[in-house]
């Protein structure tokens, strides 16, 4: 891109005219790729690289505000390390997102919005408009539709990431179902299987009836809900009674029963799967019934009453029904006591044939009918309101049904122990450190990971069953043709696919070529840092650590940076349905990408949630405009033959006091920002850059520089230009990782020898000048005091006023900086008097004390004394009237007795404010009269 001349910066910054053009140029120049750094000599392969594996976006996804935060933080890190001359790789990619993609596609099938894609792949659509399901398509067609969906919609999120300025190496983009990554999935499965860490078994799982698959513990979201607790009594065998005398539903099923045991349940339909009633062995209420037999309502099954210490005697009646096939705790009880485990539910949450008279009914239909029948038979004791946490599928929000199912599992304890050690011994550092405790607690209590899913879209489990010898063939080959045990060709593959998180757990190394020994894997692995939300610390992060250590023998990254959730300005969770959601694309359209990025980054600290308000985004859009206008002013004061040499030697003693001050403050800023970056405190770094640019550079130094820029001394003018450009250039480098577009566009118009800000060297801090900072701090404090006085007395902005200064020990300093005082405090040059001491203090003058300096501002020079006295008297009268009204109201006993407490308190505060204002006005009036 050709650099513009200093006269070509447009009057107004237009993000839409800049952002895409700059991004495309950066990408075309290869600035995002580490190879360009090597080829251009900006970095060397001898250096340790900085590497981030971008969290892969779902192919069905669109940019949301959480994505925007992730990309802003990661892009900031990447740009900073690239500017530091480190080989930098940010590897992007997409996740096939098995269950998530299934949900989206199945909704499209149901609504028939996927018909065009189905025609495109040649699927024979039915003639009618009935909803379609995945089962209508079958595996082969559904998978083909998944790939078509990926090609059609998968690029949306990547285009949106480009809008955010993500400077990742798109040539290395990966997809979790690419052939190379699919091979890595098979290799890791075989590796774990051969070590005995993957097994297949019939165990309790979380079942989502809508998705039609098992899901992991982490994919179950527990929500507090108002529910009921049904108390039901089971008749006991005894007194010659062997069983029900009549059919269920007759109203006479329990006739003749004299002994009962009462249980309480939140899921009455699971009564049909009970195989015991359990009590605590220390519960004396049930000591006599342990070992006896109860009859299960509806089914008539004889079930034992057993004792187990897991039972809480204080819950319900102290006796609990045991349904081993439909509750994790009951499953454990069933295993200990050798109970039968009948599964009374089908995959679609209808009741199975083992549910007796309720077979085929939906869960909630069964619940209603069973409760009605229990009441009819006299077995329903009572119904209580009950609050409890109910598990929902993370993807579709369907209520999860715990049930027994044959699935594939990872034996997780050995992997978890190695992952715990990696954090304990410091090979991996979690930022912020407080999440170590959370990590250890979860990893130390982890359960085996159910990795099989009963879906179509995803990685098929690389296991083939032999129809002749029943042996398994487990191989990383894409499709074996014969049994490894007997050689038979009568083999078929396991129909299940792997959990999405299984392939995602391999992301840091599978994307670099593992299991092959590639150059990228040798150089870029382990990666440097994993940046993600604290909400997926266990979903993804912990699994990457476990799989990285197991498959490569090394940690997948050395640092974990956890950010929080993005909330609204009131700290509430964002919700589009409630109107509090923020669409980042709309925000970027209105305010520009830099404003959104800067708001998110300066509002964040590691591990804490971010409160986002559009008012702050607008304020940061104004910050971008402030920088733009500052650039226009700096450039307007220069011509091309006045460009300072960018290699000029910085000798602080050669500059004026304001020069020495701004250079020192700037060097301090560089040191502080670099330190804050190194400590991952990006938000504070951004805030300091903001304060420096807006306050010290624009509001102070730029204004002070006008004295020389508009003067006749050419050498002084040239020096001002030098310092202005030097400080501005280096501050833009600090700001670039936060606001890449506006800083690059400005930098392309500044005088320098580099080709692009994105690859410009990160500035190094020079020496500090403590004396200059202290001296300018005093001058600025004096100016602020005078400005405050002008505002208080409502002095017109253009009016220059008289000032008399008793400088004391600061006489030489203030005498030498008269021009600064005159320019910044709007003083009358002919009426500014600076002396060491004053023989007598001026009459009718406002006295200001700053440190050891006294400043007197003659009031006659600021206001018309007669008019000011008149104005003050009128205001005092108005305030006095307000005091009288307030005092009268507060003396009214009726008001005090009947008005709300907050109204009375508000009136008292108003009275206190009136009195304070009255005292201040009277003091000012006395000063004018004196």
């Amino acid at each position: 891109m050709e650099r513009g001349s200093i006269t070509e910066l447009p009057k107004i910054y237009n993000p839409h005219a800049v952002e895409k053009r700059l991004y495309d140029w950066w990408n075309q120049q290869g600035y995002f790729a580490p190879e360009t750094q090597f080829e251009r000599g900006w970095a060397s392969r001898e250096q340790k690289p900085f590497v981030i594996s971008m969290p892969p976006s779902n192919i069905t996804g669109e940019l949301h505000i959480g994505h925007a935060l992730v990309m802003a933080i990661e892009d900031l890190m990447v740009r900073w390390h690239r500017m530091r001359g480190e080989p930098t790789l940010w590897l992007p990619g997409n996740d096939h997102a098995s269950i998530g993609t299934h949900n989206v596609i199945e909704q499209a099938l149901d609504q028939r919005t996927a018909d065009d894609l189905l025609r495109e792949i040649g699927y024979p659509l039915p003639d009618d408009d009935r909803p379609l399901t995945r089962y209508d398509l079958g595996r082969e067609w559904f998978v083909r539709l998944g790939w078509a969906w990926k090609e059609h919609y998968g690029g949306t999120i990547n285009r949106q990431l480009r809008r955010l300025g993500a400077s990742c190496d798109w040539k290395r983009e990966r997809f979790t179902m690419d052939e190379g990554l699919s091979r890595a999935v098979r290799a890791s499965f075989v590796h774990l299987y051969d070590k005995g860490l993957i097994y297949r078994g019939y165990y309790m799982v979380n079942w989502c009836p809508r998705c039609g698959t098992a899901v992991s513990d982490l994919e179950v979201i527990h929500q507090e809900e108002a529910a009921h607790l049904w108390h039901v009594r089971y008749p006991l065998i005894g007194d010659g009674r062997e069983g029900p005398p009549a059919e269920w539903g007759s109203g006479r099923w329990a006739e003749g029963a004299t002994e009962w045991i009462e249980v309480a349940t939140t899921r009455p339909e699971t009564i049909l799967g009970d195989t015991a009633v359990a009590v605590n062995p220390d519960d004396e209420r049930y000591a006599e019934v342990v070992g006896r037999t109860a009859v299960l309502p509806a089914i008539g099954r004889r079930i034992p009453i057993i004792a187990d210490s897991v039972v809480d005697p204080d819950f319900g009646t102290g006796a609990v029904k045991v349904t081993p096939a439909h509750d994790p705790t009951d499953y454990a009880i069933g295993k200990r006591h050798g109970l039968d485990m009948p599964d009374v539910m089908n995959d679609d949450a209808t009741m199975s044939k083992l549910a007796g008279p309720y077979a085929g009914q939906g869960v909630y239909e069964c619940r209603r009918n069973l409760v009605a029948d229990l009441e009819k038979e006299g077995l329903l004791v009572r119904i209580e309101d009950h609050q409890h946490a109910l598990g929902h599928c993370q993807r579709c929000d369907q209520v999860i049904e715990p049930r027994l199912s044959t699935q594939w599992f990872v034996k997780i304890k050995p992997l978890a122990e190695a992952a715990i050690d990696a954090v304990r011994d410091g090979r991996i550092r979690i930022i912020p450190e407080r999440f170590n405790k959370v990590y250890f607690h979860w990893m130390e209590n982890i359960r085996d990971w159910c990795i099989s899913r009963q879906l179509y879209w995803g990685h098929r489990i690389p296991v083939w069953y032999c129809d002749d010898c029943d042996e398994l063939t487990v191989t990383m080959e894409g499709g074996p043709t014969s049994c490894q045990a007997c050689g038979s060709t009568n083999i078929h593959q396991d129909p299940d696919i792997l959990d999405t998180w299984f392939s995602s757990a391999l992301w840091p190394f599978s994307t670099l070529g593992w299991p092959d020994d590639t150059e990228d894997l040798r150089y870029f692995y382990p990666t440097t840092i994993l940046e993600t939300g604290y909400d997926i610390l266990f979903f993804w992060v912990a699994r990457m650590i476990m799989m990285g250590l197991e498959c490569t023998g090394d940690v997948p990254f050395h640092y974990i940076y956890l950010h929080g959730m993005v909330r609204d300005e009131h700290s509430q969770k964002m919700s589009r349905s409630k109107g509090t959601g923020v669409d980042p694309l709309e925000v970027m359209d209105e305010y520009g990408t830099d404003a959104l990025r800067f708001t998110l980054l300066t509002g964040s600290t590691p591990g804490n949630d971010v409160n986002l308000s559009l008012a702050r985004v607008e304020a940061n859009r104004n910050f971008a405009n402030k920088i733009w206008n500052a650039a226009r002013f700096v450039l307007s004061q220069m011509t091309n033959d006045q460009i300072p040499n960018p290699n000029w030697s910085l000798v602080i003693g050669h500059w004026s006091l304001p020069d020495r001050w701004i250079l020192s403050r700037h060097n301090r800023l560089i040191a502080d920002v670099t330190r804050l970056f190194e400590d991952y405190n990006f938000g504070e770094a951004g805030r300091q850059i903001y304060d420096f640019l807006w306050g010290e550079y624009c509001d102070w130094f730029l204004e002070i520089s006008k004295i020389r820029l508009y003067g006749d001394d050419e050498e002084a003018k040239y020096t001002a230009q030098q310092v202005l450009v030097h400080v501005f250039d280096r501050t833009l480098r600090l700001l670039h990782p936060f606001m890449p577009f506006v800083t690059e566009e400005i930098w392309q118009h500044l005088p320098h020898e580099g080709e692009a800000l994105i690859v410009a060297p990160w500035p190094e801090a020079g020496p500090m000048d403590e004396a200059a900072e202290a001296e300018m701090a005093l001058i600025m404090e004096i100016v602020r005091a005078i400005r405050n006085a002008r505002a208080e007395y409502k002095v017109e902005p253009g009016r220059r006023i008289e000032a008399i200064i008793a400088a004391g020990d600061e006489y030489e300093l203030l005498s030498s900086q008269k021009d600064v005082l005159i320019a910044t405090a709007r003083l009358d040059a002919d009426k500014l008097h600076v002396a060491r001491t004053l023989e007598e203090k001026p009459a009718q003058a406002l006295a200001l004390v700053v440190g050891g300096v006294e400043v007197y501002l003659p009031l006659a020079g600021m206001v018309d004394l007669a008019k000011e006295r008149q104005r003050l008297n009128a205001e005092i009268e108005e305030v006095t009237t307000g005091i009288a009204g307030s005092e009268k109201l507060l003396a009214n006993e009726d008001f005090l007795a009947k008005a709300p407490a907050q109204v009375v308190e508000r009136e008292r505060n108003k009275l206190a404010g009136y009195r304070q204002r009255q005292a201040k006005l009277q003091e000012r009036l006395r000063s004018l009269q004196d």
Side-chain angles (χ1 to χ4, degrees):
M1 186 172 75
E2 291 186 8
R3 180 175 303 147
S5 76
I6 61 177
T7 60
E8 289 180 341
L9 207 59
K11 187 174 183 179
I12 297 173
Y13 175 58
N14 179 4
H16 304 299
V18 169
E19 292 174 357
K20 187 177 187 305
R21 169 172 54 81
L22 280 180
Y23 189 89
D24 290 345
W25 177 68
W26 287 330
N27 198 21
Q28 290 161 8
Q29 295 299 305
Y31 294 144
F32 302 162
E35 286 77 12
T36 303
Q37 294 179 278
F38 300 143
E39 292 165 5
R40 304 291 292 277
W42 297 329
S44 165
R45 280 194 174 273
E46 303 303 314
Q47 294 173 267
K48 184 178 180 180
F50 177 82
V51 185
I52 296 182
S53 294
M54 180 188 293
S57 306
N58 293 352
I59 58 169
T60 57
E62 288 192 6
L63 189 71
H64 58 66
I65 201 67
H67 282 132
L69 177 61
V70 171
M71 293 305 113
I73 293 173
E74 294 190 11
D75 192 53
L76 174 143
M77 293 186 195
V78 165
R79 288 177 184 269
W80 175 49
H81 284 275
R82 187 185 291 123
M83 294 175 76
R84 296 185 83 179
E86 300 172 30
T88 303
L89 172 61
W90 188 15
L91 193 150
N94 298 110
D95 196 323
H96 65 283
S98 175
I99 194 167
T101 303
H102 254 271
N103 279 338
V104 173
I105 294 180
E106 289 186 64
Q107 287 175 19
L109 289 172
D110 180 70
Q111 299 165 11
R112 295 298 293 269
T113 55
D115 284 9
D116 287 345
L117 281 181
L118 287 169
R119 291 188 190 96
E120 188 178 300
I121 63 175
Y123 178 75
L125 285 165
D127 295 331
D128 56 30
D129 294 330
R130 64 180 173 82
L132 297 175
T133 70
R134 73 178 190 239
Y135 305 109
D136 292 326
L137 271 66
R139 179 185 299 278
E140 182 181 347
W141 281 110
F142 193 93
V143 170
R144 289 173 66 180
L145 177 59
W147 281 104
W149 194 279
K150 186 255 182 187
E151 293 304 313
H152 193 76
Y153 296 107
T156 300
I157 188 72
N158 288 352
R159 289 190 294 273
Q160 293 169 345
L161 296 182
R162 285 174 164 87
R163 278 209 61 186
L164 275 166
S167 59
C168 48
D169 187 355
W170 291 108
K171 296 192 302 299
R172 282 183 166 87
E173 183 183 355
R174 298 290 185 266
F175 177 52
T176 49
M177 283 176 63
D178 285 345
E179 178 48 42
L181 275 69
S182 295
R183 183 166 171 267
V185 168
R186 296 193 298 271
S188 59
F189 185 98
V190 172
H191 170 78
L192 293 171
Y193 181 84
D194 288 345
K195 287 189 67 172
L197 294 175
I198 282 182
Y199 63 93
R200 188 170 184 252
Y202 186 64
Y203 296 100
M204 180 67 60
V205 298
N206 305 297
W207 185 266
C208 176
R210 199 224 66 82
C211 296
T213 183
V215 296
S216 71
D217 292 346
L218 290 172
E219 292 167 302
V220 179
I221 307 301
H222 290 90
Q223 303 171 8
E224 283 291 330
E225 297 183 10
H228 296 97
L229 194 62
W230 286 269
H231 288 254
V232 180
R233 59 180 186 170
Y234 296 2
L236 299 182
I237 297 292
D239 292 336
R241 187 179 187 279
E242 293 301 319
E247 292 291 321
W248 178 255
S250 65
R252 299 177 50 246
W253 183 87
E255 193 174 79
T258 58
E259 294 180 282
W260 317 83
I261 188 162
E262 183 181 323
V263 299
T265 180
T266 59
R267 302 165 67 208
E269 66 280 2
T270 62
I271 286 174
L272 306 172
D274 286 1
T275 54
V277 174
V279 298
N280 191 287
D282 298 326
D283 193 337
E284 295 180 358
R285 293 174 296 174
Y286 297 105
E288 297 298 321
V289 297
V290 173
R292 293 186 62 181
T293 302
V295 182
L296 187 66
I299 303 299
R301 183 165 49 243
R302 272 66 170 167
I303 59 175
I305 300 172
I306 60 177
D308 196 289
S309 59
V310 76
V311 177
D312 179 1
D314 295 325
F315 176 77
T317 64
V320 298
K321 54 188 288 302
V322 181
T323 319
H326 296 283
D327 182 90
T329 302
D330 293 3
Y331 173 74
I333 294 174
K335 293 284 284 185
R336 283 194 293 272
H337 294 269
L339 301 176
D340 289 338
M341 301 184 181
D343 184 352
V344 296
M345 288 184 196
N346 297 316
D347 290 355
D348 59 357
T350 58
M351 305 307 292
S352 76
K353 62 183 180 181
L354 298 180
Y358 306 97
Q361 296 181 12
V363 165
Y364 296 105
E365 179 188 6
C366 172
R367 178 180 296 180
R368 288 191 302 271
N369 293 335
L370 177 59
V371 169
D373 288 343
L374 287 168
E375 186 172 22
K376 184 177 182 180
E377 297 293 354
L379 303 179
L380 182 64
V381 179
R382 65 184 180 279
I383 304 174
E384 297 176 351
D385 290 337
H386 181 67
Q387 195 80 11
H388 73 146
L390 194 60
H392 289 253
C393 175
Q394 182 199 35
R395 296 295 178 181
C396 71
D397 201 39
Q398 178 81 18
V399 173
I400 290 293
E401 296 291 347
R403 62 186 297 228
L404 288 173
S405 179
T406 300
Q407 302 287 343
W408 287 93
F409 296 85
V410 172
K411 192 179 294 181
I412 210 74
K413 283 286 186 184
L415 303 180
E417 288 168 0
I420 290 169
D421 290 343
V423 175
R424 285 203 194 280
D425 63 26
R427 282 174 290 159
I428 295 176
R429 176 188 165 201
I430 300 177
I431 303 163
E433 194 173 297
R434 69 175 186 272
F435 281 94
N436 282 7
K437 184 177 179 181
V438 181
Y439 173 83
F440 292 139
H441 175 77
W442 188 80
M443 295 293 276
E444 287 163 356
N445 294 278
I446 196 170
R447 298 199 310 170
D448 282 0
W449 174 15
C450 175
I451 57 171
S452 47
R453 300 290 181 268
Q454 290 64 55
L455 301 171
Y456 297 154
W457 174 249
H459 297 100
R460 285 284 290 276
I461 289 178
V463 173
W464 284 259
Y465 303 95
C466 181
D467 298 329
D468 293 333
C469 74
D470 295 330
E471 290 296 321
L472 274 57
T473 295
V474 182
T475 175
M476 63 180 290
E477 294 177 21
T481 57
S482 60
C483 173
Q484 288 178 339
C486 71
S488 170
T489 58
N490 295 323
I491 61 173
H492 65 277
Q493 189 173 0
D494 192 298
D496 291 350
I497 64 167
L498 287 163
D499 179 10
T500 295
W501 296 103
F502 189 92
S503 56
S504 299
L506 315 179
W507 186 251
F509 50 93
S510 64
T511 52
L512 296 172
W514 187 91
D516 295 328
D517 182 23
T518 65
E519 184 179 355
D520 270 7
L521 185 65
R522 288 194 299 272
Y523 185 64
F524 293 116
Y525 188 85
T527 65
T528 308
I529 189 166
L530 184 281
E531 192 283 331
T532 191
Y534 61 66
D535 54 323
I536 58 172
L537 178 59
F538 311 120
F539 270 113
W540 188 39
V541 180
R543 287 166 173 166
M544 280 191 288
I545 297 173
M546 290 188 283
M547 295 297 276
L549 287 165
E550 179 61 32
C551 293
T552 73
D554 205 345
V555 295
F557 30 72
H558 296 293
Y559 299 91
I560 301 168
Y561 179 101
L562 299 174
H563 65 256
M565 294 176 61
V566 182
R567 298 181 177 273
D568 68 18
E569 58 189 307
H570 305 296
S571 300
Q572 299 301 308
K573 187 175 181 179
M574 286 191 174
S575 168
R576 291 192 179 183
S577 63
K578 295 179 181 177
T580 59
V582 172
D583 184 338
L585 297 171
E586 293 178 2
V587 175
M588 290 188 286
D589 285 341
E590 184 169 358
Y591 300 105
T593 298
D594 286 330
L596 175 62
R597 285 176 57 126
F598 194 75
T599 303
L600 291 170
L601 288 166
T602 54
S604 68
T605 53
N608 294 324
D609 292 344
V610 179
N611 291 350
L612 178 66
S613 75
L614 292 182
R616 285 190 59 235
V617 180
E618 183 178 9
N620 289 324
R621 188 268 312 275
N622 296 340
F623 177 48
N625 291 336
K626 179 85 169 181
I627 303 164
W628 187 263
N629 291 332
R632 281 176 47 79
F633 174 79
V634 171
L635 293 172
S636 72
Q637 301 304 309
M638 305 175 65
T639 59
N640 286 326
D641 60 354
Q642 291 178 317
I643 296 174
N645 180 352
N647 295 317
W648 54 284
S649 177
L650 186 63
V651 182
I652 290 183
H654 291 178
W655 313 114
S656 68
L657 174 61
D659 293 336
R660 291 166 51 211
W661 167 73
I662 197 66
L663 290 168
S664 181
R665 294 295 300 159
H666 180 52
N667 286 328
R668 191 178 300 279
L669 176 72
I670 293 170
D672 288 345
V673 167
T674 302
R675 173 182 53 80
L676 289 165
F677 268 47
E678 289 170 346
D679 292 340
Y680 300 95
N681 199 340
F682 307 123
E684 178 59 24
R687 290 188 288 271
Q688 290 196 16
I689 297 169
Y690 178 101
D691 291 342
F692 175 84
L693 264 175
W694 192 298
E696 293 175 307
Y697 185 81
C698 291
D699 289 354
W700 285 100
F701 184 71
L702 194 145
E703 293 301 316
I704 292 170
S705 296
K706 291 178 181 178
I707 301 169
R708 289 174 289 170
L709 293 171
Y710 297 160
D712 297 328
D713 187 332
E714 291 300 322
E715 184 176 345
K717 181 184 297 187
Y718 185 75
T719 301
Q721 292 167 344
Q722 256 191 338
V723 178
L724 275 169
V725 173
H726 174 79
V727 173
F728 198 44
D729 174 305
R730 284 155 50 106
T731 308
L732 288 176
R733 299 181 195 216
L734 298 179
L735 185 60
H736 179 73
F738 294 91
M739 305 178 85
F741 293 109
V742 68
T743 53
E744 181 75 82
E745 184 69 3
I746 291 172
W747 202 78
Q748 289 299 324
H749 291 78
L750 288 178
H752 51 72
E753 292 183 343
E755 65 179 75
L757 180 54
I758 189 175
V759 290
W762 186 257
E764 294 185 9
M768 318 291 181
D769 190 332
E770 303 285 355
E773 290 193 38
E775 289 170 355
M776 273 301 295
L778 175 63
I779 292 170
M780 292 162 68
E781 195 59 34
I782 291 170
V783 171
R784 287 192 190 97
I786 296 173
R787 287 175 175 175
N788 290 340
R790 291 176 65 105
E792 188 174 355
Y793 280 86
K794 298 180 173 59
V795 179
E796 302 92 329
R799 185 172 185 173
R800 291 192 174 273
I801 63 173
E802 180 181 0
I804 302 163
I805 300 177
D809 293 340
E810 307 298 340
Y811 174 75
E812 284 79 10
L813 169 64
L814 299 182
S815 295
S816 68
Q817 300 302 316
K818 277 187 176 182
D819 55 349
V820 173
L821 293 169
I822 290 166
T824 55
R826 303 292 292 167
L827 302 179
D828 187 329
D830 295 330
K831 295 183 179 180
L832 171 60
H833 309 285
V834 179
R836 287 189 185 278
T837 57
L838 300 176
E839 293 184 6
E840 60 178 297
K841 297 178 180 179
Q844 287 194 326
L846 181 65
L848 309 172
V849 179
V850 181
V853 176
E854 296 177 2
V855 179
Y856 297 92
L857 305 178
L859 294 172
M862 293 199 294
V863 294
D864 182 313
L865 294 181
K867 286 184 178 179
E868 181 65 6
R869 291 189 194 101
Q870 185 178 356
R871 186 189 69 78
L872 288 171
N873 277 316
E875 195 170 341
I876 289 170
E877 184 177 346
E878 181 182 339
V879 172
T880 302
T881 301
I883 290 173
S886 239
E887 287 178 336
K888 182 178 180 181
L889 187 61
L890 289 169
N892 186 327
E893 295 294 334
D894 199 40
F895 169 74
L896 295 177
K898 295 182 179 179
Q902 63 268 27
V903 173
V904 175
E905 185 62 24
R906 187 162 59 242
E907 192 62 32
R908 285 175 176 150
N909 291 338
K910 185 165 76 171
L911 176 59
Y914 276 145
R915 287 171 173 166
Q916 188 177 19
R917 178 69 178 154
Q918 183 189 52
K920 193 171 183 180
L921 291 168
Q922 288 172 340
E923 177 61 31
R924 189 179 300 172
L925 182 60
R926 276 194 296 274
S927 71
L928 295 183
Q929 291 167 340
D930 293 341

